[in-house]
Amino acid sequence: MAFNQRSMTAFLAAAAACSYASAFAPASGTARKPLTRVDIATSLPNIPSIGDMLNLGGGSPNNDSEKEPEKRGALIDLDGIAMSGLNGKALKLATADFPDSGTVRKIIPADCFEPETAKSLGYLSVSLVGTALCTAFGVSALSVLDPANILTLPFWTAYSVVTGTVAMGLWVLAHECGHGAFSKDRDLQDRVGYVLHSLFLVPYYSWQRSHAVHHRYTNHMELGETHVPEGPDVEGLYDPLEVRKNLLEKYGAEKGIQLWGGLQAFLHLIVGWPAYLLIGATGGPARGMTNHYFPNPLTEPSQPKKELFPGNWKAKVYQSDIGVAFVAASAIAWAVCNGPAEMMAMYGGPLIVVNAWLVLYTWLQHTDVDVPHFTDSDHNFVKGAFHTIDRPYDKLDPWGAIDFLHHKIGTTHVAHHFDSTIPHYKAEIATEAIKEHFPDLHLFEPTPIPEALWRVCKGCTKVEKRGDYYIWDNKDVEGLL
């Protein structure tokens, strides 16, 4: 996936003006490839509400006495489609295969939908203590290793990686506050979420709204929010497929694809999050260019009724800005008083790492070379939720420490997308229930995370339309991914 070019141009201009957070399949006898059948139902399942903020079946196997339900089918040519560890599983699913939301909810134990304030606060204390210990170690190192000395850069880089990785747990819990999964006490929940998000320069209510929209329109080409692919009809400064092709031609296939993957990794993991907050980079085109600190669209939306921050949300955006402004002003004062090097070492560097983790999770949860996207006529909530991908983050390190510190956000994300009010400490139970009852729908991609990320960086560049589906175009580069 490449950034929308107009968005990137606007972002770079905004960055220069504002200096935002200064941190940052074998052929047959003919030439035709195998085909995968994708059936499309004539009606959509029921769609639930994703919280008050939005206002927004399988059958038994056939036998001789049973008649297969009639479906309207489409055939998708697999030529040019690379395969992940899912082996095209998502491409074999028909809309009629997906149950309605009530059916899914019934198989999840009722207790999973009940947050426990004491337990949530317990996990919050783990992340707070871990981050505080890392910060205390950094403060003690300042007198010995001056961040202004370039020779100390390796140490402070390592410090940022460790501290940012631990602090990502706070981000996950702030995210649960926005979903209503932290506590039944809404005042407590909003206070915790507001403070934590502000510490990361994220406007709490703005992101609460946009992230709920992301859940409602997962893998939607026009209305999706974050990591929406660039479609075949998008006009911009350049065609990312052509740029990738040119790199391969100029530097050779192996080096060229590595250069392209490295560029995409940098644009997403480092530039991506502030670009999304400032200009809605990789957001759905139907809402125009958006800004999480200013509620009105920056450009005219093609679907004004789908505005990102409608009605009362506009005032909430400005309420969120107060917390962000306080933290940003504190960081600036820190840099003025103690030097920008110290501020970056202790705050800016870890923040960049937290942002990179956030993008890594959201990118890999919804993107891979054989996972499709849909248009409005072929999308519904349950279908979008089941196109979320669980991955083996528990294998990211030998002890599963990162998955623990990040409250298993990447290993239980399908359940989270079906109902985001499920607290993380009950999401494993919900995940097992979904896997047991809907094994053909649950997407678990087993590739180790670094390898999966590298494949997505190289292969998820731009989609093409095949039938009613949008599929990643990797013609002639499948073997390089």
Side-chain angles (χ1 to χ4, degrees):
M1 176 196 309
F3 280 130
N4 178 283
Q5 295 86 358
R6 287 171 292 183
S7 294
M8 279 307 305
T9 301
F11 170 68
L12 293 175
C18 304
S19 298
Y20 170 75
S22 57
F24 298 137
S28 60
T30 67
R32 187 171 178 81
K33 295 288 183 177
L35 299 176
T36 294
R37 181 179 179 84
V38 179
D39 297 309
I40 305 168
T42 56
S43 62
L44 297 177
N46 295 327
I47 300 173
S49 170
I50 309 301
D52 296 336
M53 69 188 81
L54 277 180
N55 296 324
L56 300 178
S60 58
N62 290 332
N63 56 40
D64 292 340
S65 63
E66 294 178 326
K67 181 180 179 181
E68 182 180 359
E70 291 187 6
K71 300 174 184 177
R72 180 164 55 88
L75 292 175
I76 293 182
D77 189 343
L78 294 181
D79 182 37
I81 300 177
M83 293 293 156
S84 70
L86 293 168
N87 294 316
K89 181 178 181 178
L91 300 177
K92 302 172 185 176
L93 299 175
T95 302
D97 293 330
F98 295 93
D100 60 49
S101 59
T103 300
V104 181
R105 190 177 182 87
K106 287 178 182 177
I107 61 94
I108 299 175
D111 180 65
C112 289
F113 303 100
E114 299 293 326
E116 300 175 28
T117 302
K119 186 170 289 188
S120 295
L121 290 172
Y123 281 103
L124 175 60
S125 68
V126 170
S127 293
L128 281 173
V129 169
T131 304
L133 289 174
C134 290
T135 303
F137 176 75
V139 170
S140 66
L142 286 173
S143 60
V144 181
L145 299 166
D146 183 2
N149 186 338
I150 191 66
L151 296 178
T152 66
L153 182 60
F155 171 83
W156 290 111
T157 299
Y159 170 81
S160 294
V161 171
V162 173
T163 304
T165 297
V166 174
M168 180 60 192
L170 294 173
W171 216 114
V172 173
L173 296 173
H175 153 266
E176 293 214 330
C177 291
H179 280 303
F182 188 85
S183 173
K184 290 183 178 180
D185 184 337
R186 293 191 65 173
D187 288 339
L188 171 66
Q189 181 170 255
D190 285 342
R191 289 190 184 101
V192 171
Y194 188 98
V195 170
L196 293 179
H197 272 301
S198 297
L199 288 173
F200 296 115
L201 300 180
V202 177
Y204 174 64
Y205 292 113
S206 308
W207 185 86
Q208 181 184 59
R209 162 68 183 178
S210 66
H211 192 62
V213 172
H214 157 68
H215 274 247
R216 170 63 183 84
Y217 293 103
T218 302
N219 283 37
H220 194 298
M221 283 295 297
E222 293 89 16
L223 296 171
E225 193 64 23
T226 73
H227 301 296
V228 177
E230 184 164 337
D233 300 325
V234 175
E235 295 182 1
L237 299 175
Y238 64 90
D239 183 333
L241 284 178
E242 285 299 316
V243 174
R244 186 175 69 176
K245 179 181 178 182
N246 291 338
L247 286 173
L248 268 62
E249 290 176 349
K250 183 173 183 179
Y251 297 101
E254 194 64 37
K255 187 175 181 180
I257 199 70
Q258 291 177 354
L259 289 172
W260 174 254
L263 175 63
Q264 289 302 296
F266 173 78
L267 288 176
H268 283 79
L269 300 180
I270 305 302
V271 180
W273 181 241
Y276 172 67
L277 293 178
L278 286 172
I279 59 170
T282 77
R287 297 187 181 85
M289 188 181 294
T290 60
N291 183 297
H292 278 64
Y293 306 95
F294 179 72
N296 296 321
L298 302 181
T299 60
E300 189 68 27
S302 61
Q303 297 188 36
K305 292 184 178 180
K306 298 294 185 180
E307 185 180 347
L308 188 57
F309 303 115
N312 294 335
W313 284 100
K314 296 184 186 301
K316 288 191 170 186
V317 170
Y318 291 125
Q319 292 173 21
S320 304
D321 289 346
I322 297 172
V324 173
F326 176 80
V327 175
S330 300
I332 293 171
W334 187 352
V336 170
C337 294
N338 292 2
E342 180 178 306
M343 187 275 290
M344 285 299 299
M346 294 296 299
Y347 177 72
L351 179 62
I352 291 173
V353 174
V354 169
N355 293 344
W357 273 114
L358 171 62
V359 174
L360 183 147
Y361 276 115
T362 55
W363 199 11
L364 294 190
Q365 284 160 351
H366 305 293
T367 310
D368 217 322
V369 291
D370 55 354
V371 176
H373 285 68
F374 311 96
T375 58
D376 197 48
S377 62
D378 195 44
H379 180 276
N380 63 72
F381 170 74
V382 174
K383 185 176 182 179
F386 272 111
H387 278 80
T388 301
I389 309 164
D390 283 341
R391 295 186 183 272
Y393 285 93
D394 55 332
K395 303 296 192 297
L396 195 53
D397 62 85
W399 310 277
I402 293 176
D403 197 37
F404 169 77
L405 289 171
H406 296 174
H407 310 295
K408 301 186 182 296
I409 189 65
T411 53
T412 60
H413 210 66
V414 174
H416 171 71
H417 254 261
F418 172 71
D419 193 311
S420 56
T421 66
I422 299 174
H424 73 272
Y425 43 83
K426 298 182 179 181
E428 284 186 288
I429 296 173
T431 297
E432 291 304 314
I434 289 173
K435 289 165 63 176
E436 178 184 353
H437 289 85
F438 303 107
D440 294 333
L441 301 181
H442 178 261
L443 299 183
F444 176 78
E445 207 288 312
T447 307
I449 302 304
E451 183 181 339
L453 174 63
W454 190 227
R455 179 180 61 235
V456 167
C457 288
K458 295 183 294 182
C460 294
T461 300
K462 186 175 181 178
V463 295
E464 61 175 341
K465 189 175 183 181
R466 299 194 185 185
D468 293 326
Y469 290 73
Y470 287 83
I471 311 294
W472 297 103
D473 184 358
N474 284 298
K475 187 175 178 58
D476 300 327
V477 299
E478 301 101 307
L480 298 174
L481 306 181

